[in-house]
Amino acid sequence: MDAIDIIEDTERKAKTVSKKSFPVTGMTCAACASSVESMLGHTEGVYNASVNFANSTVLVEYDSAMDLSDLQNAVRQIGYDIIVDAEDPTEVQEELSKKHYVSIKKRTLWSAILTLPIFLLGMFFMDWVPGRWISLVLAVPILFWFGRSFFINAFKQARFGKANMDTLVALSTGIAFLFSAFNTFFSEFWLSKGMEPHVYYEAATVIITFISLGKLLEEKAKSNTSSAIKKLIGLQPKTLKVIADGEEREIPISSVKVGQTILVRPGEKIPVDGTVSKGSSYVDESMITGEPVPVEKTKDEKVFAGTVNQKGSFQFVADRVGGETLLSQIIKMVQEAQGSKAPVQKLVDRIAGIFVPVVMTISLVTFITWMFLGGEDAFTHALLTAVAVLVIACPCALGLATPTAIMVGIGKGAEHNILIKDAESLELGYKVNAIVLDKTGTITEGKPMVTDMVFADHVTDHRALEQILYAMEGQSEHPLAEAVVSFLKNRKVNPVEILNFNSITGKGVRAEALDGTLYLVGNHKLMVEKGIAMDDNLGHMVEGLEQEAKTVIYFGGGGKVKAILAIMDSIKNSSKEAIREMQGNGMEVYMMTGDNKMTAEAVSQQVGIKSYEAEVLPSEKADFVKRLQESGKVVAMVGDGINDSQALAQADVSIAMGKGSDIAMDVAKMTLITSDLNAIPKALKLSHKTVIGIRQNLFWAFIYNIIGIPIAAGLLYPINGFLLDPMIAGAAMAFSSVSVVLNSLRLKTIKL
């Protein structure tokens, strides 16, 4: 990073940056998406803008102080619109999509009805003069009313020196119409030169009809790609029942406030996140946890929006409402991910941006070439081939190839409890050939319990030491400390006052008792470093406990180990099977833990992992991932704790377990909202299938244009006399876009 970048980055951090997704209206092709992105990208206050053509949204990073109407004005200048002031943009977008679909359907239907007689006249009564006048009258509403959007958008683009698919359609149909109209009004001009005044109304109108039909099918198919979001949104009820002044009242979900008491009856969905205040029930939380068995909820337990109450009524107090609920956060994450761009898409966008001007140039070159080399019918052939080139070369398929596959892939993941934050991780996932798993909370349940506590032979004052241990572990943030506190609580131990408590990262904690004695709680490394001696009897017991895959922590004071505690964390049922599957897929699986070697070895043997690293600090986990990357591996890191965050950030693909820390989930690009490790091979399989889908789409989009444009230009004419009719070119163009979307939708049927 050079100095300028650093200054810009620092300036940006000094301001408050907002990131939000807005619906965009009026986009018809990938070049439109490129125009909107470019316009917003050059608007003052906007740091980054990324348009997703497939779901008609733009994800904008902007200065929070900027007026959102500036975004709107910038986009309106080039003929599009952006919705910035809606309370629920998704709902508004949904409504607009429906209206857009109805409008296209109407236009297509009327275009088809009016085109049929023009087509019949053009094909079978081409020399019938009144037929030309009838065709002219019928063609005017098709082109300039039902197909007016092509001309309006092309004009708006042209004002800013830009061109898109509408430009191609408007130019091709406009030229064909004007030439035909000239021949209808001034047929003597050609007759006086001994030439027949042909008309091409059928070509112009059939192109409009076919392209409108293609758009109609495309809109229908595109609406299916966002079905996962619709399912997630559908989990939240529209209304809820609050208890106010002892009375039950039904209110819209938008009116609920934090602190209100809400009543939930059997079979109802829980509307917002909260804490149970009265009653109890079983709640189906499979949406969040992936666990099919309903969980009992009693007083003071948390409930989450979108989960389903099974039996019994209960009341709860709303803790998080609106966009703050866990369900809303999941929806937001999926929406942002679907709007993000895979690296390959950025290349495709650049190609789409220059594609239309290149095609217009090819069309012009085709026209000139035919005029010079076309012989007797030079003008007719030049006109038809130039029009055919403009029509067949639509960048729609290119624009839809990647985002539709990404949208369906991310949606499919959300249905299987795999939340994918961005398209890049989905695209990279299939390349992973090394997986690093954290032990606690990933391979194991993450619910450690103290199974043994053994004092050294020389210790007599057990109770007093337990009180000091309780006080120290009570202040520690380490997950294992919770297990010790819980264990001592059950033994009715009360903590005492301690002084100078300090946490030693990755090793343990230290504190002083009121009499000034220094006490330490932590791992073996800490005891060795501080020169704390341990008697032989305890040493033998440690070996035995660690061979049972138990984690041993040491409690030392006055220069000697006073006691050891053995902590057991059960291995998840799914861990062994998932690891075997990953290894079967040719991946190297590693385990890393801050735990001791004996425990790490015992756990790794039980789950079938051959390579493991024990007693590692958080920074060492990241270093290990880096070493694997330097050896040429594409590394996925799976973890759940704050101590895994550094390694998650270093990995190529980062996967957080949903029950882990918020920090780990923030850092990770994928989050599994289930404790089942089998979701990892599923996520990687989904990545593989999505990337195959993208490649197939891009192949067909490119090959279609590579083959179609030369044929449309008349390359085959000198060989076999074949010239592509502009009408067929229009149908082929529509088919290419629809086929790409349908291929992406196939991802919905794959079995993970």
Side-chain angles (χ1 to χ4, degrees), residues 21-79:
S21 184
F22 301 100
V24 183
T25 61
M27 292 194 298
T28 53
C29 66
C32 304
S34 184
S35 297
V36 172
E37 202 169 276
S38 165
M39 205 68 191
L40 286 175
H42 289 93
T43 304
E44 195 176 343
V46 173
Y47 301 120
N48 189 33
S50 176
V51 173
N52 184 324
F53 172 51
N55 65 359
S56 299
T57 59
V58 58
L59 187 64
V60 188
E61 271 184 71
Y62 58 95
D63 185 348
S64 305
M66 86 174 286
D67 188 346
L68 291 180
S69 61
D70 290 346
L71 295 177
Q72 208 165 31
N73 293 335
V75 174
R76 281 178 178 172
Q77 280 182 47
I78 50 168

Side-chain angles (χ1 to χ4, degrees), residues 387-420:
V387 168
V389 167
L390 289 174
V391 173
I392 204 164
C394 168
C396 277
L398 269 183
L400 291 168
T402 307
T404 50
I406 292 285
M407 280 181 72
V408 177
I410 288 174
K412 181 88 181 173
E415 287 174 13
H416 286 79
N417 300 310
I418 304 162
L419 292 183
I420 300 165

Side-chain angles (χ1 to χ4, degrees), residues 106 181 188 336 484 591 621:
K106 197 171 159 188
E188 299 81 15
E336 286 193 358
V484 176
M591 184 185 81
K621 288 186 179 181

Side-chain angles (χ1 to χ4, degrees), residues 341-349 402 406 427 694 698:
K341 279 191 179 169
V344 67
Q345 176 62 22
K346 290 171 186 166
L347 175 67
V348 172
D349 283 351
T402 307
I406 292 285
E427 195 184 325
I694 290 172
L698 286 176

